[in-house]
Amino acid sequence: MAAPLSETTIATIKATAPALQEHGVTITTRMYERLFQNEGVRAMFDQAAQESGEQPRRLAAAILGYAQNVDKLQNLTGAVARMVQRHVDTGVKAEHYPLVAEALLPAIRDVLGEAASDEVLAAWGEAYWFLADILIGKEAELYAEQAA
Ligand code: HEM
């Protein structure tokens, strides 16, 4: 289990919610451009949902929901269960998570520019891995159940 996020990290993340509300889809669209430079990862995604903008919208909504509820994760139980199910359906594994982090954090900087200070990016790096660890743990349980 990851260490809890610090009060400072939580406050920094919550303060980014308005910018995410405004620019979330631009950030996730940029994130997928970066992520899909890896052909193997690109092939895991339904490209129609990319082209329609549906998947960038879903991810932006998930990130905004996370920013708004980072100190009340119980509100995200249903959303997390849905992500876990989709991830297991599409074969997402722990080793993919660094690739998404390496695409998402630069995309935040690309879009928010100077508003994404080093402090903001560090907080998002920490918060990303906090959520990623929850997803990775639940996905491992679901893979194990399916294998049993
Ligand atoms: C903390 C990190 C992540 C978050 C917050 C996240 C969030 C989401 C969300 C919200 C969905 C849509 C679920 C729905 O159908 O409603 C989704 C689907 C998906 N995610 Fe993730 N995800 C994360 C990490 C990853 C990683 C590491 C991969 C692997 C490359 C990945 C691959 C996918 C795929 C392939 C889908 C299905 C998309 C499709 O239908 O084309 N995700 N994710």
Side-chain angles (χ1 to χ4, degrees), residues 6-147:
S6 70
E7 288 297 315
T8 315
T9 299
I10 287 174
T12 308
I13 294 295
K14 288 182 86 102
T16 62
L20 292 176
Q21 192 131 32
E22 198 178 339
H23 302 290
V25 176
T26 315
I27 292 172
T28 55
T29 302
R30 182 82 188 104
M31 187 216 85
Y32 284 119
E33 275 168 23
R34 285 183 170 272
L35 187 66
F36 292 166
Q37 287 169 16
N38 181 319
E39 277 299 323
V41 170
R42 185 173 192 276
M44 294 169 74
F45 284 81
D46 169 6
Q47 290 305 315
Q50 293 297 329
E51 279 150 30
S52 67
E54 198 180 324
Q55 183 59 24
R57 278 196 295 278
R58 282 193 206 123
L59 182 62
I63 292 173
L64 177 62
Y66 181 45
Q68 289 168 332
N69 292 286
V70 65
D71 53 351
K72 341 180 237 307
L73 292 180
Q74 66 278 12
N75 292 350
L76 300 177
T77 309
V80 165
R82 201 185 149 117
M83 288 176 221
V84 167
Q85 186 63 55
R86 267 318 271 156
H87 286 169
V88 169
D89 289 345
T90 50
V92 174
K93 296 281 167 57
E95 63 260 28
H96 294 122
Y97 280 83
L99 302 174
V100 168
E102 284 157 20
L104 178 62
L105 297 171
I108 293 176
R109 173 146 281 167
D110 286 350
V111 174
L112 297 187
E114 305 220 325
S117 62
D118 290 348
E119 189 199 355
V120 164
L121 286 182
W124 265 105
E126 221 184 295
Y128 173 86
W129 280 108
F130 188 78
L131 178 58
D133 284 344
I134 293 172
L135 294 172
I136 290 167
K138 290 186 184 293
E139 286 156 17
E141 280 172 22
L142 193 51
Y143 281 120
E145 266 173 42
Q146 286 185 348

